[in-house]
Amino acid sequence: MPEPETGKPDAPAKPAHPHTATLKRLEQSSGSLAAQAIARMDETLPWYRAMPPENRSWIGLVAQAGIAAFTEWFRQPDAPQAISTDVFGTAPRELTRAITLRQTVEMVRTTIEVMESAIDEVAAPGDESVLREALLVYAREIAFATAQVYAQAAEARGAWDARLESLVVNAVLSGEADEGAVSRAAALGWNSPEHVCVVLGTAPDGDSELTVEAIRRAARHAKLQVLTGVLGDRLVVIAGGRNDPLAVAKSLIGPFAQGPVVAGPVVPDLLAATRSAQAAAAGLKACTAWQDAPRPVLADDLLPERAIASDPSAREQLVEEIYRPLEEAGAALLETLSVYLEQASSLEGAARMLFVHPNTVRYRLRRVTDVTGWSPSDVRSAFTLRIALILGRLADGDPQL
């Protein structure tokens, strides 16, 4: 008695491709089409001819991959396919830096034109319109894929550039700037301007990337080079290209949040920018002591507050730039300034204490202004001069101060 059949039924046969003849001819022609595309590029694209052989070979591989991807797409137009991976995955990531988006579009256009011109030869009789329509749809998809590749490359490059910029800004602010920081800055387009200063203030709430971009727009408008970043609640800008730190700060002040904005002194290069950054940071810390301080304000205009707040560089600067020059100019200037300040800025009172004519006091005070750059008749300058005198006397009594 025969045994019953227990085997599984045969799987249904895979349906044949509706355009088998065209697909076969397309597969056979892919190599020659790629060669024609490369020859057309060499003939019509000057930038392609000028490229090094290695890059030309990568572009040739991309063209071949594009034609192969079209063949596979024509075979299964409804199957999910990552065209960007199929076509551009054959080339290294560096190729997006070697050729521009415009050049890539020209390369894709040339390859599509070669394929379009060969439709009558490649398509089986009666399939010309089908193949032409498929090529038009594929051209649209490859255009989207090209845009995606360059968008991803730009995004990755932007993230890497932001990290480099943050490293440079942090190195300057922390006093660790070295030749490595200079190299990183150069990679970001910093071309070593002669005049550099650092501007510090409070960062606004919200997306720090938008704040950084706003600083860059302001810098472009002011024709300044900048390296910038948000560190904690501080917005830090290293600006180059102008020998006026107050003008620099005014041109960049828009994106800063409410509160003091302090500009450090101008220094010659990025390696010296730490000095400007430290002065600006000390000024920002001490600015609360001067409630009527302008916005923005120079770090050097905050020397007395910084000195009181134990900033050693401010103390040294007041002694070396005010007290010592007065000391060298003669005892009469120091004595006259001291008495004038003690007499509530009264010419007559100082003259009586010094047993001289008021005009003599007036002359000596003009000499103080010439020597130091600070006018004793101005209230703010008088305060700075008084602190400088105190620090100078302390330094004479204790050389360590």
Side-chain angles (χ1 to χ4, degrees), residues 107-176:
M107 175 191 72
V108 171
R109 182 189 293 120
T110 301
T111 304
I112 294 296
E113 288 174 351
V114 168
M115 295 173 67
E116 190 175 17
S117 65
I119 284 178
D120 292 337
E121 299 176 9
V122 175
D127 283 353
E128 292 85 357
S129 61
V130 173
L131 189 59
R132 184 172 287 106
E133 182 178 351
L135 185 60
L136 288 174
V137 176
Y138 179 76
R140 182 193 66 187
E141 296 298 323
I142 199 68
F144 289 144
T146 302
Q148 181 184 16
V149 166
Y150 274 83
Q152 290 174 342
E155 185 176 355
R157 187 160 54 248
W160 177 247
D161 287 353
R163 176 173 171 76
L164 276 184
E165 190 167 14
S166 178
L167 288 173
V168 174
V169 170
N170 188 63
V172 169
L173 204 61
S174 63
E176 299 175 355

Side-chain angles (χ1 to χ4, degrees), residues 140-287:
R140 182 193 66 187
E141 296 298 323
I142 199 68
F144 289 144
T146 302
Q148 181 184 16
V149 166
Y150 274 83
Q152 290 174 342
E155 185 176 355
R157 187 160 54 248
W160 177 247
D161 287 353
R163 176 173 171 76
L164 276 184
E165 190 167 14
S166 178
L167 288 173
V168 174
V169 170
N170 188 63
V172 169
L173 204 61
S174 63
E176 299 175 355
D178 54 14
E179 290 298 335
V182 174
S183 297
R184 295 187 189 99
L188 294 167
W190 180 267
N191 64 6
S192 301
E194 292 182 358
H195 308 297
V196 179
C197 70
V198 177
V199 182
L200 285 181
T202 304
D205 296 332
D207 192 341
S208 60
E209 292 184 6
L210 295 178
T211 300
V212 167
E213 184 54 37
I215 288 289
R216 292 199 179 104
R217 285 197 301 271
R220 286 194 294 269
H221 185 266
K223 294 181 172 55
L224 294 169
Q225 293 186 58
V226 294
L227 297 166
T228 183
V230 175
L231 302 181
D233 62 347
R234 286 184 178 180
L235 176 55
V236 185
V237 184
I238 304 168
R242 190 179 299 178
N243 193 21
D244 185 348
L246 193 60
V248 169
K250 287 180 179 179
S251 64
L252 301 176
I253 200 170
F256 284 86
Q258 291 299 316
V261 175
V262 182
V266 169
V267 293
D269 52 40
L270 189 63
L271 286 176
T274 289
R275 178 158 51 87
S276 182
Q278 290 174 344
L284 193 62
K285 177 183 176 182
C287 203

Side-chain angles (χ1 to χ4, degrees), residues 22 35 45 98 103 163 165 173 233 317 352 361:
T22 297
L45 303 179
Q103 291 170 338
R163 176 173 171 76
E165 190 167 14
L173 204 61
D233 62 347
Q317 191 171 344
R352 285 194 300 269
V361 176

Side-chain angles (χ1 to χ4, degrees), residues 22-34:
T22 297
L23 179 61
K24 185 175 181 180
R25 295 170 73 169
L26 187 59
E27 291 172 341
Q28 293 172 345
S29 304
S30 60
S32 62
L33 288 174

